[in-house]
Amino acid sequence: MKSDIQIAQEASLSHIREVAAQLDIHEDDLEFYGKYKAKLSDELYEKVKDNEDGKLILVTAINPTPAGEGKTTTSVGLGQAFSLLGKKAVIALREPSLGPCFGIKGGAAGGGYAQVVPMEDLNLHFTGDFHAITSANNLLAAMLDNHLQQGNQLNIDPNQIVWKRCLDMNDRVLRNVVVGLGRKVDGVVREDHFQITVASEIMAILCLANDMKDLKERLGNIIVAYTYDGTPVTARELKAVGSMAALLKDAIKPNLIQTLEHTPAIVHGGPFANIAHGCNSVRATKMALKMADYVVTEAGFGADLGAEKFFDIKCRMAGLKPDAVVLVATVRALKYNGGVAKADLAAENLEALKQGIVNLEKHIENVKKFGVPVVVTLNRFMTDTDAELEFVKQFCEERGCDFALSEVWEHGGEGGKALAEKVLHTLETKESNFAPLYDESLSIKEKIETIAKEIYGADGVTYDAAALKAIDKIEEIGFKNAPVCMAKNQYSFSDDAKKLGRPTNFTINIREVYVNAGAGFVVAITGTVMTMPGLPKVPAAENIDVNDDGVITGLF
């Protein structure tokens, strides 16, 4: 069996100008990064902005397990299937982070015969967007520390600096560091912190900004620290906005690549959904909607994280109205949620499937709370039995969801036709009455508790003293009406990753709360979640290599 990277490397790619032509994009609106990648010009949106929007389809999933779900693979395969059915379709995805690529999860280009390519480029440096975000983030950090060194005219309290440096790599030793050691000229000694680039506020700002003017306004609103008397200090006051925007000038432009079957894919931005808001850029999605009849996008991890943030943060801020949701599951993952060990998932086990399908049930209920019709798809494995597949099909149809098997990993777009037809049927027969889960006028605590109870199924919420103090401060300085971005482990509805299925009788603990004033939302850290991941005992980096001919191997 060929690996994903082998399949991708053997593929015949079209020149990106030919892919763009499918969306009626003229070569003048492409900024080429070689033959197979291009950025879309700022002028292009002005040309298409008055076009009627296409249908917006969100692909999400159950909680991830070691058994695999295939959310991105399904997104890509569904887009390819639309193309095979003669529909004008485009896929709008996030860019992968280097952290998972060299850590444990692998890349984010799809899999099998449902991939976006060039796969190695996408998973590594791509068009340099993440490097630009990292540089802009750390430039602001450098200017902040320089301000302290050069007399601290803004009266910043070094113990109330909230801006963190970032790096797009899993490096746990950087979570808590001390900077400024050495001589007096080496800076002010203070505790500092790093987070992974995909969790940084600059990433969120890039993904939520409509244009350069909006980007600069948001960058200026970033709160970097507080003064000795508790007044917020912003990036605007540090005079960092212009230089940060200059670094992001190209990064704000969406990227165009293709699938293995040459369906256009707009890939831009990449916040994690467990510790950030988990959606690709507003610019990419809006541009896609103006150029295609069907736009397939995804949100990270399970629907309790990615879909909730897509609806409550991205759609709320951007005025987007999704038309349908595709909810991805596998029989293997459902049995894992039912208590079966990974080594035993190949054997038929209807009893475990019945126990574990409650995880899917809760996700279906959650998506329906937003008023969007749901199509459930099972990413099929060879070991799935007819009895298992029929049980899941009946379970979904009893809950008013269209259902389809997906075989896109093995058969590409052809294996996604049944799913595409079900999605088209849903779009034609069921109306989306989308609305966010909560009203923005609620207090921060009320929003947190609404998400915890309604989406996670918690009995309530507990708060550390520091979190309560932070909430009071955030509301005092004017951010009571901001939506909330919950940072929670991806494996469970609860804040305990070991509680699989559909846990009950639990509370969510809020450890830390802070405001991303530029992005426009409040972040609530639950349980033991870290915004700078670490590498596993055997990182994927150990198996990645490049041969004498420059061919990369081992990249999943």
Side-chain angles (χ1 to χ4, degrees):
M1 186 180 296
K2 293 179 180 178
S3 67
D4 291 347
I5 194 169
Q6 285 176 308
I7 293 171
Q9 289 173 340
E10 292 173 5
S12 175
L13 276 62
S14 297
H15 195 287
I16 197 63
R17 70 166 67 91
E18 298 171 15
V19 178
Q22 297 179 52
L23 299 175
D24 303 314
I25 300 173
H26 193 272
E27 189 170 334
D28 288 346
D29 286 313
L30 298 175
E31 298 175 8
F32 294 106
Y33 282 65
K35 294 187 289 185
Y36 308 119
K37 300 176 289 184
K39 281 194 169 287
L40 302 176
S41 72
D42 291 332
E43 294 76 24
L44 177 60
Y45 187 75
E46 290 301 312
K47 296 177 182 178
V48 302
K49 67 180 182 181
D50 294 327
N51 293 354
E52 185 177 348
D53 282 347
K55 297 292 186 181
L56 180 58
I57 302 148
L58 173 70
V59 179
T60 185
I62 62 172
N63 293 95
T65 70
E69 288 68 53
K71 177 164 49 62
T72 305
T73 301
T74 301
S75 300
V76 176
L78 177 58
Q80 293 181 154
F82 277 135
S83 294
L84 288 179
L85 292 174
K87 307 298 182 183
K88 190 176 183 181
V90 63
I91 303 158
L93 302 175
R94 295 169 299 153
E95 300 174 46
S97 163
L98 294 177
C101 285
F102 293 105
I104 192 171
K105 184 175 177 291
Y113 290 90
Q115 296 187 59
V116 282
V117 285
M119 181 261 218
E120 307 98 300
D121 292 18
L122 177 61
N123 279 312
L124 298 177
H125 302 291
F126 199 30
T127 57
D129 293 347
F130 283 20
H131 300 314
I133 291 166
T134 301
S135 297
N137 184 101
N138 293 341
L139 171 64
L140 180 56
M143 292 181 73
L144 171 60
D145 278 306
N146 185 60
H147 183 86
L148 294 179
Q149 175 74 6
Q150 303 294 348
N152 194 11
Q153 292 181 331
L154 293 173
N155 200 33
I156 293 170
D157 180 356
N159 292 317
Q160 293 191 73
I161 290 174
V162 294
W163 189 249
K164 297 179 180 179
R165 287 170 160 82
C166 74
L167 185 71
D168 192 38
M169 196 63 65
N170 293 358
D171 196 349
R172 62 169 55 83
V173 301
L174 294 179
R175 289 173 186 160
N176 304 291
V177 297
V178 177
V179 296
L181 294 175
R183 301 169 299 166
K184 185 176 181 180
V185 295
D186 295 326
V188 176
V189 177
R190 66 177 185 88
E191 184 179 355
D192 200 1
H193 311 272
F194 275 77
Q195 58 188 347
I196 194 164
T197 297
V198 284
S200 69
E201 185 174 358
I202 305 288
M203 174 66 78
I205 287 172
L206 184 92
C207 289
L208 293 170
N210 288 306
D211 49 33
M212 180 56 74
K213 181 180 179 182
D214 187 23
L215 179 80
K216 292 175 74 173
E217 180 67 23
R218 289 173 178 273
L219 291 173
N221 291 339
I222 292 171
I223 295 174
V224 297
Y226 294 87
T227 64
Y228 284 100
D229 61 5
T231 303
V233 178
T234 65
R236 186 176 292 109
E237 292 174 278
L238 285 174
K239 301 178 182 177
V241 175
S243 54
M244 293 166 68
L247 286 170
L248 298 169
K249 177 181 71 71
D250 293 323
I252 195 175
K253 299 172 185 176
N255 309 290
L256 180 68
I257 51 175
Q258 64 192 289
T259 73
L260 290 173
E261 298 176 12
H262 317 302
T263 300
I266 300 177
V267 185
H268 193 221
F272 284 172
N274 58 345
I275 51 178
H277 80 285
C279 308
N280 74 323
S281 76
V282 167
R283 281 170 64 98
T285 303
K286 284 187 171 181
M287 194 171 282
L289 286 168
K290 295 297 183 183
M291 296 189 295
D293 297 325
Y294 299 93
V295 175
V296 180
T297 190
E298 68 163 12
F301 292 124
D304 56 319
L305 291 170
E308 186 273 317
K309 294 168 183 179
F310 177 84
F311 295 139
D312 281 327
I313 297 176
K314 179 176 178 177
C315 290
R316 185 196 303 268
M317 290 188 180
L320 297 171
K321 294 182 178 179
D323 296 287
V325 167
V326 174
L327 183 54
V328 181
T330 63
V331 167
R332 291 166 56 88
L334 293 174
K335 288 190 290 190
Y336 186 87
N337 269 285
V340 176
K342 184 178 179 182
D344 301 324
L345 291 172
E348 180 177 283
N349 191 330
L350 286 171
E351 186 56 39
L353 186 57
K354 292 175 185 176
Q355 294 293 321
I357 205 167
V358 294
N359 186 269
L360 173 61
E361 180 181 45
K362 176 60 173 163
H363 286 295
I364 292 172
E365 292 173 9
N366 285 348
V367 173
K368 287 186 173 182
K369 290 179 181 182
F370 294 93
V372 186
V374 184
V375 179
V376 175
T377 186
L378 275 183
N379 194 11
R380 188 172 190 174
F381 281 71
M382 291 177 60
T383 55
D384 299 344
T385 69
D386 290 343
E388 290 173 330
L389 297 174
E390 181 58 33
F391 174 78
V392 179
K393 179 177 184 290
Q394 184 176 338
F395 183 91
C396 295
E397 291 177 345
E398 287 172 354
R399 283 151 184 80
C401 301
D402 275 340
F403 173 87
L405 291 177
S406 171
E407 298 177 292
V408 298
W409 188 92
E410 185 177 3
H411 299 296
E414 193 67 35
K417 278 186 176 179
L419 173 59
E421 287 167 352
K422 287 292 185 181
V423 172
L424 290 171
H425 176 262
T426 293
L427 291 171
E428 291 165 1
T429 60
K430 296 180 182 179
E431 186 177 355
S432 175
N433 298 301
F434 169 71
L437 181 69
Y438 54 79
D439 190 276
E440 60 186 11
S441 65
L442 294 178
S443 69
I444 292 171
K445 286 180 67 175
E446 287 172 325
K447 291 167 189 166
I448 290 171
E449 287 160 18
T450 297
I451 296 168
K453 292 177 181 179
E454 294 291 324
I455 302 300
Y456 306 156
D459 295 333
V461 180
T462 60
Y463 298 87
D464 287 2
L468 288 173
K469 184 178 180 182
I471 290 171
D472 289 342
K473 181 67 176 179
I474 290 165
E475 292 190 338
E476 177 190 321
I477 62 175
F479 291 94
K480 174 180 177 291
N481 292 338
V484 171
C485 178
M486 298 283 277
K488 181 183 72 69
N489 85 83
Q490 63 268 33
Y491 302 110
S492 171
F493 281 112
S494 76
D495 55 9
D496 180 352
K498 296 179 181 178
K499 291 181 177 178
L500 303 181
R502 183 175 182 168
T504 57
N505 303 316
F506 68 92
T507 57
I508 293 287
N509 177 252
I510 305 298
R511 188 180 86 238
E512 180 184 354
V513 180
Y514 56 88
V515 62
N516 279 351
F521 56 71
V522 171
V523 180
I525 308 286
T526 73
T528 58
V529 167
M530 300 289 183
T531 57
M532 170 56 88
L535 291 171
K537 187 173 183 179
V538 183
E542 292 186 8
N543 298 309
I544 295 171
D545 201 357
V546 56
N547 67 18
D548 293 345
D549 297 321
V551 177
I552 293 172
T553 58
L555 194 61
F556 284 71

